[in-house]
Amino acid sequence: MKVLLIKTSSLGDVFHTLPAVQDAFQQVPGIEFHWLVEEGFRDIPTWHPAVTRVIPVAWRRWRKQLMDAQVRAEMKTFYADLRKEEYDVVLDAQGLIKSAMFTRLARGPRYGLDKHSARESLAALAYQHPVTVSKGRHAIERTRDLFAQVLGYPVPDGLDYGVDRSRWDRPEITGDYWVFLHGTTWDTKLWPESYWCELAERVTAAGFQVCLPWGNDEEKARAERIAEGRTGVRVLPRMGLNALNAWLAHASRVVGVDTGLSHVVAALSIPSVAIYGATDAHLTGVCGPMVEVMSSDRDCAPCLSKTCLKPESEGPQPPCYRSIPPARVFEHLT
């Protein structure tokens, strides 16, 4: 059976789909997936052995310049590439109007979430076989349920992303190390910098090294401040996802916040902690057999706000993280 899977973005959403792919790989003999995904995430589907072809799409880039001749040429090539094969199943696992549009362009019977289950109900109009999947559950559970109904098997017990971390060679570093994923998009998702500094001191005192990746100038500056004056704390060079995965795959422990990279760690089954304050881990948070989600117990959390609604004049900010101090994180992972 050949399935065209449509799950284009974001980083976390792409990783949330891998357990469903693994279920199908285990339950349906001979199944193979072609995966349509945003160009920036094109490497991720290749990490699973059931994915034999990746079809990159650049909608995030194209939509900003639809009248540009080069963009239109790229769109024409993409359409031709998408139409090359006829599939046994065309499965939209995203449930958005944009993903439904791509589903409609493909060749094969079209499956997806019905109007009561999809995030955007109009998307269901594109499917010949709409499927009901109850809301109010984690995205991983809902996607596994969708695959099971479409492909005809019961959802198996356990959670497995199907990613073999041995595919990445160990980086050139001697000894055991922790990775701190300290960067994220909102200020209210950031664990206090003073907490990272204290945790680095605890980790290095225990005989481990600390490695600090970064993706922009702000994150680099923070990493340098955390490392300053601390032996055994290392700021990594800027690198792409595959190179960074080598560091994650061979880490002894990983500590992260609500960021896409924390989902990567969950897929790699590394002992880790994911820290949530302003955001809610219930529906789309990090989930995996080796990850512990630590959420704030403050009465205003999760506020889902990009700015703190109840700042305090003293102590680490945002205050919602005070119930997740460095000692708690360190003790859980040691």
Side-chain angles (χ1 to χ4, degrees):
M1 176 183 285
K2 188 173 290 186
V3 177
L4 175 64
L5 169 59
I6 297 170
K7 187 75 165 203
T8 61
S9 59
S10 60
L11 180 61
D13 289 343
V14 172
F15 274 95
H16 286 162
T17 309
L18 285 171
V21 173
Q22 176 67 4
D23 289 346
F25 184 52
Q26 293 177 326
Q27 299 293 320
V28 183
I31 195 169
E32 63 175 292
F33 288 90
H34 292 185
W35 193 325
L36 194 157
V37 67
E38 268 287 339
E39 59 181 357
F41 308 126
R42 65 190 302 168
D43 289 338
I44 298 170
T46 67
W47 300 348
H48 197 287
V51 180
T52 60
R53 181 184 177 209
V54 176
I55 304 173
V57 62
W59 181 247
R60 287 181 170 182
R61 177 168 55 85
W62 291 343
R63 67 186 180 186
K64 300 175 183 178
Q65 42 187 340
L66 290 174
M67 301 310 295
D68 181 84
Q70 178 62 36
V71 166
R72 295 177 72 84
E74 290 181 20
M75 293 174 68
K76 184 177 180 180
T77 300
F78 162 75
Y79 176 73
D81 200 28
L82 181 61
R83 297 284 294 178
K84 279 181 181 177
E85 297 197 45
E86 184 163 359
Y87 294 94
D88 298 304
V89 171
V90 177
L91 176 55
D92 179 3
Q94 195 135 24
L96 300 177
I97 293 172
K98 71 171 183 179
S99 58
M101 175 182 67
F102 299 134
T103 305
R104 188 67 181 82
L105 295 175
R107 296 170 59 206
R110 302 184 299 275
Y111 295 78
L113 297 167
D114 69 15
K115 65 181 181 180
H116 302 294
S117 308
R119 287 166 59 188
E120 296 179 355
S121 58
L122 288 177
L125 297 175
Y127 316 134
Q128 296 160 318
H129 306 281
V131 177
T132 300
V133 174
S134 60
K135 293 185 175 181
R137 296 181 295 156
H138 194 280
I140 290 177
E141 296 175 357
R142 298 187 74 234
T143 306
R144 294 179 75 189
D145 190 358
L146 172 64
F147 275 53
Q149 289 191 57
V150 171
L151 300 174
Y153 56 81
V155 177
D157 295 332
L159 178 63
D160 184 359
Y161 286 80
V163 178
D164 181 4
R165 68 190 192 207
S166 68
R167 66 183 290 132
W168 291 279
D169 294 332
R170 180 180 169 89
E172 294 183 4
I173 184 172
T174 302
D176 294 331
Y177 63 92
W178 293 32
V179 175
F180 290 179
L181 300 176
H182 56 93
T184 187
T185 51
W186 301 358
D187 288 346
T188 50
K189 291 183 183 181
L190 293 171
W191 203 42
E193 190 172 312
S194 61
Y195 281 6
W196 288 115
C197 294
E198 180 182 336
L199 183 61
E201 291 172 358
R202 289 176 177 270
V203 171
T204 54
F208 298 95
Q209 299 176 73
V210 173
C211 296
L212 302 170
W214 55 275
N216 56 45
D217 291 343
E218 180 182 347
E219 293 176 6
K220 183 182 180 183
R222 183 189 309 113
E224 290 172 343
R225 290 192 298 270
I226 296 169
E228 185 176 5
R230 294 183 174 89
T231 302
V233 181
R234 174 176 179 176
V235 178
L236 298 179
R238 187 170 188 172
M239 61 187 73
L241 182 58
N242 257 325
L244 178 56
N245 266 11
W247 289 90
L248 296 174
H250 293 276
S252 296
R253 304 286 189 272
V254 178
V255 180
V257 290
D258 181 6
T259 178
L261 289 173
S262 292
H263 297 281
V264 179
V265 176
L268 295 174
S269 295
I270 305 296
S272 57
V273 165
I275 300 168
Y276 281 72
T279 50
D280 190 355
H282 176 62
L283 297 180
T284 58
V286 177
C287 185
M290 300 290 285
V291 61
E292 174 73 11
V293 173
M294 293 187 177
S295 297
S296 173
D297 61 8
R298 193 177 174 91
D299 60 0
C300 56
C303 64
L304 307 180
S305 174
K306 294 183 179 182
T307 57
C308 182
L309 303 178
K310 295 184 178 181
E312 296 180 359
S313 58
E314 297 181 357
Q317 302 292 333
C320 57
Y321 292 104
R322 294 178 190 176
S323 62
I324 315 172
R328 178 183 170 191
V329 174
F330 181 76
E331 289 167 6
H332 176 78
L333 289 173
T334 54

